[in-house]
Amino acid sequence: GQNIDQPTEMTATEGAIVQINCTYQTSGFNGLFWYQQHAGEAPTFLSYNVLDGLEEKGRFSSFLSRSKGYSYLLLKELQMKDSASYLCAAMDSNYQLIWGAGTKLIIKP
Amino acid sequence: DGGITQSPKYLFRKEGQNVTLSCEQNLNHDAMYWYRQDPGQGLRLIYYSQIVNDFQKGDIAEGYSVSREKKESFPLTVTSAQKNPTAFYLCARSIGDRSEAFFGQGTRLTVV
């Protein structure tokens, strides 16, 4: 079957760095997406990886290893506004997104 | 709003009533999607449409219906056959394959 796993909750300190991991198993693979979702709001797109390696975009970076079925989202210089859920989604061979349950990130001062 | 508008943001209905959630996009994109989000679970696909007058069932289509009479509109009807309709419903659009999805603000439906 198809499956996405990510931690349920993580806690980090303002100004620090946090890494949110995601492992996936899909029928075929057409890329890995990360989204940010604040409580009560819709998800917003953060990043897309289809090739192995690290993609950096400001304070956020995303890494992909296709051979390991593994991705992570790295958030640097954490700010209180980064408190949100982070959703990992893998695109299968039919171009459909398989979603993880999300990781709730709590930032403490 | 990312070119996609959902309304209303909050909706209350009595059990046994059908209810229709609106989704409109103004960017002329072909692909539109409806997802359901429940606490502690990933988004689950209800229906999707890639062209006008055509749509496909997702993983949890039972108890829902959609139409795609116009490119810009993709309404979702939650019927009385849906056993557990209280949830957060998200409509999304995308340019096409391998492109990111852009979501509307969501509709939180509560059935009492």
Side-chain angles (χ1 to χ4, degrees):
Chain A
Q2 307 199 98
N3 191 52
I4 305 285
D5 284 315
Q6 53 181 132
T8 303
E9 187 174 296
M10 298 181 71
T11 302
T13 304
E14 190 177 13
I17 299 173
V18 71
Q19 177 175 312
I20 302 174
N21 296 325
C22 170
T23 58
Y24 63 89
Q25 286 181 302
T26 54
S27 301
F29 181 73
N30 279 300
L32 192 293
F33 294 80
W34 284 97
Y35 285 79
Q36 180 190 62
Q37 185 177 26
H38 285 99
E41 298 181 8
T44 55
F45 170 74
L46 288 177
S47 67
Y48 170 65
N49 295 66
V50 67
L51 300 176
D52 286 355
L54 186 68
E55 296 271 349
E56 296 186 73
K57 194 185 292 185
R59 292 190 299 116
F60 292 9
S61 302
S62 56
F63 171 83
L64 177 68
S65 168
R66 294 182 62 152
S67 62
K68 296 182 179 177
Y70 167 71
S71 173
Y72 68 72
L73 181 69
L74 191 71
L75 291 74
K76 302 176 185 175
E77 301 169 16
L78 287 169
Q79 301 175 10
M80 297 303 293
K81 67 179 182 179
D82 297 330
S83 292
S85 288
Y86 291 86
L87 312 181
C88 172
M91 184 170 277
D92 68 13
S93 58
N94 294 318
Y95 300 101
Q96 295 302 321
L97 288 172
I98 312 302
W99 294 83
T103 298
K104 183 178 181 180
L105 178 62
I106 300 168
I107 310 294
K108 294 186 174 179
Chain B
D1 63 359
I4 185 162
T5 303
Q6 280 186 251
S7 61
K9 189 167 184 178
Y10 299 97
L11 191 55
F12 294 87
R13 279 293 182 271
K14 291 185 178 179
E15 194 172 342
Q17 290 182 333
N18 291 355
V19 59
T20 297
L21 281 57
S22 169
C23 180
E24 305 278 328
Q25 57 111 349
N26 61 6
L27 295 178
N28 203 36
H29 290 160
D30 288 311
M32 297 185 76
Y33 309 81
W34 274 105
Y35 290 95
R36 170 181 172 139
Q37 187 175 36
D38 294 282
Q41 296 190 41
L43 274 66
R44 292 183 290 169
L45 183 64
I46 305 173
Y47 270 98
Y48 66 99
S49 170
Q50 294 180 317
I51 56 173
V52 174
N53 291 323
D54 187 53
F55 46 82
Q56 306 297 325
K57 292 183 179 179
D59 300 321
I60 56 165
E62 186 175 348
Y64 299 97
S65 66
V66 293
S67 63
R68 187 85 187 273
E69 296 176 0
K70 300 183 294 183
K71 196 171 191 177
E72 59 269 26
S73 179
F74 190 42
L76 173 75
T77 297
V78 184
T79 76
S80 57
Q82 168 51 235
K83 299 303 180 190
N84 186 21
T86 294
F88 189 44
Y89 291 88
L90 288 158
C91 181
R93 61 167 181 85
S94 72
I95 298 170
D97 296 342
R98 294 194 181 192
S99 72
E100 65 270 30
F102 293 92
F103 290 88
Q105 66 173 357
T107 294
R108 188 165 297 280
L109 173 65
T110 302
V111 175
V112 296

